[in-house]
Amino acid sequence: MTNLSVNINKVATLRNARGENTPDVERVAVDCERFGADGITVHPRPDERHIRHDDVIALRPLVKTEFNIEGYPSDDFMRLVLMVRPEQVTLVPDAPDALTSSAGWDVAANMETLTAIVDRLHEAGVRASIFVDPDPDTIKAAAATGADRVELYTKPYADMYPADPEAAVAPYVAASLAAHKAGLGVNAGHDLNLDNLKFFHERLPYLNEVSIGHAIISDALYLGLETAIRSYKKCLQ
């Protein structure tokens, strides 16, 4: 069973454009779960341009499935996640002004820092996932930090998929096998959508979870949120 975690950042972006509370991020999170989502993902950034720290705090008691908080492990981010204690924290290497995640960690170069952060998360009872490119050596290094999972950065797959699906997915199959051999769970995310998700899921062994936001919220404009979520869930059957 591969779980679907819905990233609701784009809902917060739309809300913040007017400075009020429409759409209501908390209601959308509850509705996503009601429509079949297996988890809710948020990515609070330092400038709070979409999900804000107070959103994270308000969402914690509302999310009944799995709460996944992504972010760069700055002091502020770590204070927030250690206070909220979600089920999972996904560590990403984004610079504070990054528009979106664009690469995985160089784990070997950041081994000491990541190991210390993973230890802090484990002390708080939080699962630790590290955002990585589909490289077996990087995945082995992630296992050495004590992390529980890796999240595979899937934009390269999405970019290559229309031209050559098998070549696009091949590095991810190898990465999933390497992660499993190293004792890591496997998550994936970035630019997965209704066109490429089913093939990715069918080919990838040991895939625990996908985190999808932009595509689901975009599809919801045409399909409605419930139909969009159920359509993505169908790709994971």
Side-chain angles (χ1 to χ4, degrees):
M1 179 74 180
T2 299
N3 287 338
L4 172 65
S5 186
V6 178
N7 186 320
I8 59 173
N9 276 19
K10 286 300 187 296
V11 178
T13 301
L14 183 59
R15 175 201 62 189
N16 295 351
R18 289 291 294 267
E20 298 176 354
N21 195 40
T22 302
D24 185 330
V25 169
E26 295 171 36
R27 177 179 174 182
V28 170
V30 171
D31 284 342
C32 285
E33 291 185 318
R34 184 163 60 89
F35 298 150
D38 304 296
I40 300 296
T41 292
V42 294
H43 187 151
R45 295 180 181 273
D47 61 6
E48 298 193 317
R49 64 179 179 268
H50 32 62
I51 287 291
R52 299 190 288 249
H53 281 205
D54 59 356
D55 292 324
V56 176
I57 294 167
L59 286 165
R60 170 67 284 193
L62 299 178
V63 175
K64 304 302 183 186
T65 53
E66 178 183 282
F67 198 20
N68 172 47
I69 304 178
E70 301 177 342
Y72 180 80
S74 65
D75 290 342
D76 284 346
F77 178 84
M78 291 303 295
R79 277 194 291 270
L80 177 66
V81 299
L82 292 174
M83 175 179 64
V84 171
R85 298 193 180 196
E87 281 74 25
Q88 177 174 268
V89 165
T90 301
L91 304 170
V92 298
D94 294 356
D97 59 349
L99 179 63
T100 187
S101 302
S102 58
W105 283 95
D106 181 343
V107 178
N110 294 276
M111 179 67 70
E112 185 175 348
T113 298
L114 288 171
T115 300
I117 291 165
V118 168
D119 286 345
R120 292 176 67 191
L121 293 172
H122 285 169
E123 288 171 4
V126 177
R127 182 197 308 143
S129 178
I130 298 179
F131 192 70
V132 298
D133 298 317
D135 172 68
D137 289 337
T138 299
I139 289 166
K140 291 176 187 175
T145 69
D148 305 285
R149 293 188 184 181
V150 288
E151 179 172 329
L152 303 177
Y153 172 55
T154 50
K155 179 172 172 54
Y157 162 76
D159 289 344
M160 189 184 294
Y161 174 82
D164 193 339
E166 292 292 352
V169 82
Y172 294 87
V173 174
S176 184
L177 290 168
H180 182 71
K181 184 176 180 179
L184 294 168
V186 180
N187 298 342
H190 206 99
D191 284 2
L192 296 173
N193 57 42
L194 286 176
D195 293 327
N196 60 40
L197 178 60
K198 186 174 188 294
F199 181 85
F200 186 82
H201 175 252
E202 287 174 344
R203 292 298 191 277
L204 222 68
Y206 311 117
L207 182 61
N208 296 105
E209 175 184 294
V210 293
S211 175
I212 305 176
H214 184 87
I216 285 180
I217 302 306
S218 297
D219 287 332
L221 295 175
Y222 294 94
L223 304 174
L225 184 60
E226 181 174 6
T227 300
I229 289 174
R230 296 194 187 283
S231 296
Y232 278 83
K233 287 282 291 181
K234 187 175 181 180
C235 292
L236 299 173
Q237 289 177 357

